[in-house]
Amino acid sequence: MHPDVKNHSEIAVVKKTFYSSENDSTMSKLFRYLRCGCCAPKYELTTEGITIHSWQDCSWNSNSIDVDNIKDLSLHQAANFGYCCCGRGHMKLYVQNPNTRLVMPTDIRNIENAEKVFEEFSSHLHKINNLQHGLKRPSIANMAFIFYDSHGDSDCIKCYRTFVCCACHTYPHTIVSKERITTKKWSKCCHKIVLQMDLDNVKSVRVERGCCEECCCDAGTIHVEGRDMDQDGLHLRNVEHAQQVFDKLNEYVSVLNNRQRVTGNQHMVK
């Protein structure tokens, strides 16, 4: 057996609670009561899954979602009083029915400190989904975990984005790491959306560098070919040092996609 092949049951996970409606602040509970009264659903997000407590047909029910059935998720926040006072927002989950295999969207609404909860919970999901084709994500020596973070760009490219793309409002904050590609963007309707694409869903990448971008800021556009539940390809525009970022991302994606070949070769040997 290949040394990277691990049984999923061998992954030890210490139970942790990422969020519980019962632990909301007084202000957040007040917002929930004013919005829905006593009928507002309550949630608990842990390392094992999500428990939803809600009223259904005049009865109080509790339903659970196992983390293994969550195939994708995104975060949505609106610039309202709940967001400004308590950082509230809601997560959209894409949950697969273990019996029918159909994937349906499920909303987890009015979460306090939603961005922090989303970041911690999504990081946990990516660790759970680390195994692909029986092999864990490879580790490449001297390769940083984060390939690119647009907040670390120079003043040159930030100035270029501000004048060309209205960066102060609509340009996304982009993070490319060994786990995922994350984009955080405010829409023109004061609606913030955080989307993620697992690198296992990326099939190929290519870089395009225009004359103006390359001459002024050594920037370019990285086109990502891939698909998940809420995205069909990505176009990461105005990436500083685009060629370097592309080289690292392309190398790692190639190694990730090679796991299927490693598994296939072992079956052929057997």
Side-chain angles (χ1 to χ4, degrees), residues 7 93 110 114 126 140 164 168 192 219 267:
N7 188 302
L93 310 177
N110 303 319
H126 284 283
I140 300 178
V164 175
C168 57
K192 184 179 181 180
H267 287 312

Side-chain angles (χ1 to χ4, degrees), residues 38-96:
C38 299
C39 299
K42 296 182 179 180
Y43 309 99
E44 185 177 11
L45 282 67
T46 71
T47 50
E48 298 176 353
I50 299 176
T51 304
I52 305 173
H53 308 281
S54 61
W55 284 99
Q56 295 179 5
D57 299 328
C58 299
S59 62
W60 185 251
N61 294 305
S62 297
N63 299 308
S64 63
I65 300 173
D66 192 280
V67 290
D68 288 324
N69 295 325
I70 300 175
K71 301 307 176 184
D72 198 3
L73 72 169
S74 59
L75 174 66
H76 301 258
Q77 294 177 289
N80 51 28
F81 287 111
Y83 171 78
C84 296
C85 296
C86 309
R88 280 158 59 101
H90 76 272
M91 294 195 306
K92 177 172 285 188
L93 310 177
Y94 293 88
V95 182
Q96 184 177 59

Side-chain angles (χ1 to χ4, degrees), residues 4-227:
D4 281 343
V5 177
K6 301 287 184 181
N7 188 302
H8 195 79
S9 61
E10 294 179 6
I11 302 177
V13 178
V14 178
K15 185 173 182 179
K16 174 184 176 180
T17 299
F18 300 104
Y19 172 77
S20 174
S21 299
E22 297 296 338
N23 297 329
D24 279 353
S25 66
T26 302
M27 180 66 71
S28 183
K29 290 179 179 178
L30 176 62
F31 278 126
R32 185 169 64 239
Y33 181 80
L34 292 175
R35 182 182 179 90
C36 305
C38 299
C39 299
K42 296 182 179 180
Y43 309 99
E44 185 177 11
L45 282 67
T46 71
T47 50
E48 298 176 353
I50 299 176
T51 304
I52 305 173
H53 308 281
S54 61
W55 284 99
Q56 295 179 5
D57 299 328
C58 299
S59 62
W60 185 251
N61 294 305
S62 297
N63 299 308
S64 63
I65 300 173
D66 192 280
V67 290
D68 288 324
N69 295 325
I70 300 175
K71 301 307 176 184
D72 198 3
L73 72 169
S74 59
L75 174 66
H76 301 258
Q77 294 177 289
N80 51 28
F81 287 111
Y83 171 78
C84 296
C85 296
C86 309
R88 280 158 59 101
H90 76 272
M91 294 195 306
K92 177 172 285 188
L93 310 177
Y94 293 88
V95 182
Q96 184 177 59
N97 186 306
N99 297 320
T100 64
R101 315 304 294 176
L102 294 176
V103 178
M104 298 295 292
T106 300
D107 288 333
I108 307 297
R109 294 188 172 276
N110 303 319
I111 300 174
E112 188 175 24
N113 298 321
E115 188 164 357
K116 179 176 182 293
V117 173
F118 176 80
E119 177 63 29
E120 293 182 351
F121 187 69
S122 60
S123 294
H124 173 66
L125 284 182
H126 284 283
K127 291 177 182 177
I128 292 295
N129 296 328
N130 186 29
L131 292 177
Q132 184 80 356
H133 309 298
L135 299 177
K136 65 181 182 181
R137 297 180 196 270
S139 176
I140 300 178
N142 302 322
M143 180 176 284
F145 178 76
I146 295 179
F147 303 141
Y148 173 73
D149 186 337
S150 60
H151 277 181
D153 284 346
S154 66
D155 292 338
C156 174
I157 188 64
K158 288 179 179 177
C159 182
Y160 176 84
R161 287 198 296 251
T162 299
F163 286 105
V164 175
C165 313
C166 293
C168 57
H169 181 65
T170 61
Y171 196 82
H173 173 204
T174 303
I175 303 173
V176 182
S177 73
K178 288 183 176 180
E179 289 182 344
R180 53 201 158 153
I181 300 173
T182 303
T183 57
K184 307 176 182 180
K185 181 178 180 179
W186 283 98
S187 70
K188 295 181 180 179
C189 298
C190 297
H191 180 204
K192 184 179 181 180
I193 304 175
V194 181
L195 299 173
Q196 297 181 339
M197 178 177 288
D198 193 298
L199 285 195
D200 277 322
N201 293 324
V202 176
K203 301 307 178 184
S204 64
V205 293
R206 63 184 178 90
V207 63
E208 180 182 353
R209 303 172 67 185
C211 294
C212 294
E213 294 173 314
E214 185 174 354
C215 293
C216 297
C217 310
D218 188 27
T221 299
I222 296 179
H223 302 278
V224 179
E225 301 295 333
R227 176 180 294 181

